Amino acid sequence: MASSAASRNGAPRGGGGARSLAGGNLRSSSYKSRPSQLPGSTLRRSSTGSFAAAGDDGVPGRVRVAVRLRPRNAEEMVADADFADCVEVQPELKRLKLRKNNWDSDTYEFDEVLTEFASQKRVYEVVAKPVVESVLDGYNGTVMAYGQTGTGKTFTVGHLGDGDTASRGIMVRAMEDILADVAPETDSVSVSYLQLYMEAIQDLLDPTNDNISIVEDPKTGDVSLPGATLLEIRDQQSFVELLSIGEAHRIAANTKLNTESSRSHAILMVHVKRSVVSQDDTLSIENGNSSHFVKPLRPLIRKSKLVLVDLAGSERVHKSGSEGHMLEEAKSINLSLSALGKCINALAENCAHVPVRDSKLTRLLKDSFGGTARTSLIVTIGPSPRHRGETASTIQFGQRAMKVENMLKIKEEFDYKSLSRKLEIQVDKLIAENERQQKAYEYELERMNQEAQNRIAEVERNFAEALEKERLKCQMEYMESVKKLEEKMLTNQRKHGSDGIIRNECNGEDQVVSVSDEVAEVRKLLQNETQRRKASEEEVNKLNTRMGQLMQSEAGGDGEILRIHQLLEVETQKKKKLEEEVMILKSQLLQLSYEADQSRRYMERVGSGNGLNGTDSPSVNNGEKAPVGTLFEQVGLHQILSYLESEDANVQIHAVKVLANLAAEEANQEKIVEAGGLTSLLMLLRKFEDETVRRVAAGAIANLAMNETNQELIMTQGGITLLTMTAADAEDPQTLRMVAGAIANLCGNDKLQMKLKSEGGIKALLGMVRCGHADVLSQVARGIANFAKCESRAATQGTKNGRSLLIDDGALPWIVQNANNEAAPIRRHIELALCHLAQHEVNAKEMISGGALWELVRISHDCSREDIRSLARRTLNSSPTFRSEMRRLRID
């Protein structure tokens, strides 16, 4: 019977509906989708009773076959009312019986047997979900429905679930799981929807494209359809709309066996492209406080394909009543299904030749049977004894398909374009950053040189001024002495020449001056001479007294000598001060030169194409020593340690910075410890209140704590107590970061576990979370992960019994609270800590009551790192307590 509104003499399927197992004839064209879930909001779990694993036969690549029994429809209830069903299912034994007559039957076993009461969800979970999970892991997958017309293939595979979400078919449910697992930023999902009608491949999303050719790769043999419409899917609603469009264009017709019989094979191809990162390719380089150089990750692309096939039903013409064009359609359907059966027979019997080219259907399914895809087949049968022959044929088809084995293979390739793009961006950033740093270094060097020249000029000017003042002072004293001597000489000359002068004047001027005047002058001179004699006598007495005082003070040391000694001490202090300033300038200059040299050498390697080839750090070639080592030899370790006791805080700060940089190099650590550097750093941490000194000292101790021998020395000398006190007093985030880093390094030593707990190391770590700074929290999480790892190792070796010390000190609530922290370093360390804690069975009850079980389940599914996911899965599966709780909570 020809259908109305025929398309190629067949009717387009109206409204995109599907046949129900109860034999309903009408389907609504409307569909109300469920809200799309955010990526990562749903956990992927392997369903209970899934038959997609290795199975009883231990062959992981074997085609898995399930059989589904349709309930009687209204016609069969009337026509077969007096007859028993020809099929008896035993789902608990995964077995069904096909009755030959009232007393004889044949028994068949399948991977899964689904009764007429099985829900659509149950069918999806046992048949399709394992295949979907394999596709998300990078394998190709195929889910196919085969059976007599009218047995519910389209309902099982392609039903949209209009108005009833519980009746959604495999296509809709598979896309929900795929979209829930992929990341929209890095992954992509695209679909093609086709039908194979009368040996012509037609595009259901573009009806004008009605003859698509098949292209095979001559090297790999992979089949592709380059002419098919390929649309990217972002949400579930758009996918359901595409399915509705495709179902509307699919060819269907009304036959005696099915009012809406599919006249074509429907094929939905879902292409999934996922970006993953290869492990152990990240390399960070840390040298003191210098920048991190990170080798870029190697991105991989996994391309997988999920093929969902709703085969047209096989039919016998005398039962279906097909005639005219519908008869030609039936012939084409039966021929393609016959070709598929021949291929499966050949594969099941390991024949040398498999006739895959007999039909386009077998060419499209080349990878599904005998290829590299994971394949699940669901065969649908009816209970009516009138169609026992067709039912037996369908069961035999499923039995043969169970003998086919595929070679599963992940298809992945390097994402060279993404890697090249990332490298170009990183190189551009490094070049720009290097230029900025180079200019900053040049400016800083110029400023420091200018400052040093100004200081030297100022010192020279001060010395010149002091010398000039001293010279002027000596010159003035000399001039005063000469003046006094000249006055004395003139006085003596006047004294001896006065008599002759008076006589000459008397004779020459005819005794103008009277005798009384001469007498008065003589008396005056005599009085002056008497006064001078008295003054001379007094001066002599003073000199004698001073001489006596000098003689008395000769035993206790000369005052002048004492003054000179004091001046020498002042000059010595000034000289020491200048030497300290010169040392500071040298250390700063060498440090800047070191950093500039690192960046220059790194950029030279980048320019020559070797910048990112796995080197650990910028190396020093041609026998040149590192600037820190140069400073080590020029100044001397003991001299640097002596500057730690300087009264000048600036000198102490620079000295402890130099010591911290030296401690960052493993070759210097033993010398520093032998010279007493560790003791000096602990003393600074104990007595110093300057925040900068405490921060740098804690950083130097953290560098030394990377060595196991130094860790024990730190604990022996009371270092953990000092670090604990500093953690309680400090408020500066950088100081807390250094202290947390030092304690985190100590937490990685198996021998120090009990001592760390008894001296408050764990509580000090937890107390530092009050800061809230991301770097501090990262160090705290690292310390907890190190401590938990040591405990897990000790428990595995049998050297530790009892509950975790971390749980005893109340760390579990903070661990659970931050297990899903937005910062990746914090989250990664906490996830590792949870996995290590869970490996010790004695911790299980506390972790369950504290909410850690849910985080472990989340980690086993959603963690970005495969090794942590695997560790969480192994831990959950190996713990009887966790398994029991998961069964109680119905967590798969």
Side-chain angles (χ1 to χ4, degrees), residues 212-232:
I212 300 173
S213 59
I214 300 176
V215 177
E216 290 188 27
D217 190 330
K219 294 181 179 180
T220 63
D222 291 341
V223 175
S224 62
L225 301 171
T229 302
L230 190 65
L231 298 179
E232 188 171 357

Side-chain angles (χ1 to χ4, degrees), residues 280-401:
D280 299 328
D281 283 334
T282 303
L283 181 64
S284 64
I285 303 167
E286 182 173 354
N287 190 350
N289 296 327
S290 60
S291 301
H292 284 52
F293 297 99
V294 180
K295 180 181 178 182
L297 303 176
R298 292 192 306 160
L300 299 175
I301 292 181
R302 287 182 177 174
K303 296 180 179 180
S304 57
K305 179 173 66 175
L306 174 63
V307 180
L308 302 174
V309 184
D310 177 16
L311 295 174
S314 60
E315 61 182 61
R316 294 186 178 180
V317 176
H318 70 277
K319 289 185 178 182
S320 64
S322 298
E323 57 185 10
H325 185 74
M326 290 178 58
L327 179 60
E328 297 300 322
E329 292 175 342
K331 290 180 181 179
S332 176
I333 292 170
N334 290 336
L335 284 174
S336 61
L337 293 178
S338 176
L340 178 60
K342 291 179 182 178
C343 290
I344 290 178
N345 288 340
L347 290 169
E349 296 172 4
N350 292 322
C351 296
H353 172 67
V354 180
V356 293
R357 294 188 174 274
D358 289 356
S359 171
K360 289 187 178 180
L361 176 63
T362 54
R363 292 180 66 189
L364 289 174
L365 299 179
K366 178 181 179 181
D367 193 46
S368 303
F369 294 93
T372 61
R374 185 185 294 276
T375 301
S376 290
L377 172 66
I378 180 167
V379 294
T380 58
I381 59 176
S384 176
R386 292 180 297 157
H387 306 302
R388 184 188 178 284
E390 290 82 354
T391 301
S393 176
T394 301
I395 292 174
Q396 291 295 335
F397 180 90
Q399 290 288 297
R400 290 191 296 271

Side-chain angles (χ1 to χ4, degrees), residues 399-460:
Q399 290 288 297
R400 290 191 296 271
M402 290 178 65
K403 299 179 182 179
V404 178
E405 297 179 10
N406 295 342
M407 298 294 294
L408 305 185
K409 180 181 177 182
I410 292 181
K411 297 184 179 180
E412 62 183 17
E413 62 188 22
F414 285 107
D415 189 3
Y416 291 105
K417 292 183 179 180
S418 176
L419 177 60
S420 174
R421 186 164 55 253
K422 290 180 179 178
L423 287 176
E424 288 177 357
I425 294 173
Q426 187 171 3
V427 168
D428 292 340
K429 288 182 178 179
L430 288 174
I431 292 175
E433 181 66 20
N434 181 67
E435 290 180 353
R436 287 194 296 270
Q437 291 184 358
Q438 188 68 25
K439 290 183 180 179
Y441 293 155
E442 292 175 357
Y443 173 78
E444 186 67 16
L445 288 174
E446 183 178 355
R447 185 189 66 79
M448 292 181 66
N449 289 332
Q450 186 64 36
E451 185 178 350
Q453 291 176 2
N454 293 338
R455 290 186 180 181
I456 294 172
E458 183 179 358
V459 172
E460 291 178 349

Side-chain angles (χ1 to χ4, degrees), residues 115-150:
T115 69
E116 63 271 29
F117 305 106
S119 65
Q120 290 282 76
K121 180 179 181 181
R122 168 70 176 164
V123 173
Y124 171 75
E125 288 183 346
V126 301
V127 175
K129 188 169 184 177
V131 178
V132 173
E133 291 178 348
S134 297
V135 170
L136 292 172
D137 290 336
Y139 298 91
N140 286 344
T142 301
V143 179
M144 185 171 68
Y146 177 91
Q148 182 190 8
T149 182

Side-chain angles (χ1 to χ4, degrees), residues 61-86:
R62 181 175 64 78
V63 174
R64 307 293 155 176
V65 180
V67 61
R68 186 181 192 184
L69 176 64
R70 172 181 61 76
R72 288 191 177 191
N73 55 30
E75 179 186 356
E76 291 170 346
M77 288 182 181
V78 175
D80 301 331
D82 297 330
F83 300 94
D85 292 347
C86 67

Side-chain angles (χ1 to χ4, degrees), residues 797-811:
Q797 295 172 356
T799 59
K800 173 180 172 52
N801 295 316
R803 195 171 64 173
S804 168
L805 300 179
L806 288 172
I807 296 177
D808 288 343
D809 276 355

Side-chain angles (χ1 to χ4, degrees), residues 37 55 111 191 228 250 291 345 395 413 424 448 473 582 657 692 743 782 833 856 877:
Q37 296 177 338
D111 294 300
V191 300
R250 190 176 175 188
S291 301
N345 288 340
I395 292 174
E413 62 188 22
E424 288 177 357
M448 292 181 66
K473 181 180 178 182
V582 170
K657 285 183 178 179
T692 303
I743 298 178
R782 183 172 69 88
L856 284 170
N877 291 332

